[in-house]
Amino acid sequence: MDKSLGLIFLWICVGHMAHAALMEKLANFKICADKDCSYVIAMAKALKDYVASDCRYINLRRGQSIYVFSKLKPVEGAGVFWSGSVYGERYVDQMGVIGYFPSNYINETHAFQEKTVEIPTTDMDFFCV
């Protein structure tokens, strides 16, 4: 019985990993409040709706508050993306989900961290599950 439960567990884990994907890097460096990108840099408001194109991104709704955790330094010719999490009682289902969004869809309303650090991005920054 224990062996069959172990096989079922393994099958479930492998099945979920089959849906994971390493996506193209959006940038080689990011700006954060600390070396772990664990603190909020700024608060922002969405200027217009944005529909996420894949699992690296988050949906935004006009007027929605956003905690900004990092700002990607774009490679030449790429768009400017920031990472963050939405906030608000109306968006409880999305709170805590961190993803990227185009910086031109938001307005930074309050800077929490004036002093920032630039660190390299990793493959895990762009990993989709």
Side-chain angles (χ1 to χ4, degrees):
M1 184 73 166
D2 289 330
K3 188 175 186 176
S4 62
L5 286 176
L7 289 173
I8 291 171
F9 178 74
L10 179 63
W11 178 75
I12 290 171
C13 290
V14 170
H16 285 294
M17 287 305 289
H19 297 288
L22 182 61
M23 305 296 283
E24 178 184 352
K25 284 179 100 172
L26 300 172
N28 292 320
F29 293 93
K30 60 186 175 181
I31 297 168
C32 299
D34 64 294
K35 67 179 180 60
D36 298 317
C37 280
S38 59
Y39 293 102
V40 175
I41 295 177
M43 195 74 179
K45 284 269 190 210
L47 298 172
K48 54 187 173 178
D49 292 352
Y50 172 72
V51 177
S53 57
D54 64 42
C55 62
R56 294 175 292 181
Y57 304 94
I58 58 171
N59 295 321
L60 300 178
R61 290 191 177 81
R62 185 173 181 259
Q64 190 171 42
S65 295
I66 304 152
Y67 287 117
V68 178
F69 286 95
S70 70
K71 299 175 179 182
L72 297 180
K73 290 194 72 172
V75 293
E76 190 173 325
V80 179
F81 290 92
W82 293 359
S83 75
S85 179
V86 297
Y87 173 78
E89 289 181 21
R90 292 179 55 197
Y91 310 105
V92 171
D93 60 321
Q94 297 176 40
M95 288 174 63
V97 176
I98 296 175
Y100 295 102
F101 50 86
S103 62
N104 62 330
Y105 276 65
I106 59 110
N107 178 42
E108 190 172 330
T109 57
H110 182 75
F112 291 115
Q113 293 286 339
E114 295 297 329
K115 188 175 180 182
T116 58
V117 295
E118 183 177 315
I119 59 174
T121 59
T122 67
D123 289 339
M124 290 307 293
D125 288 322
F126 308 103
F127 190 74
C128 287
V129 179

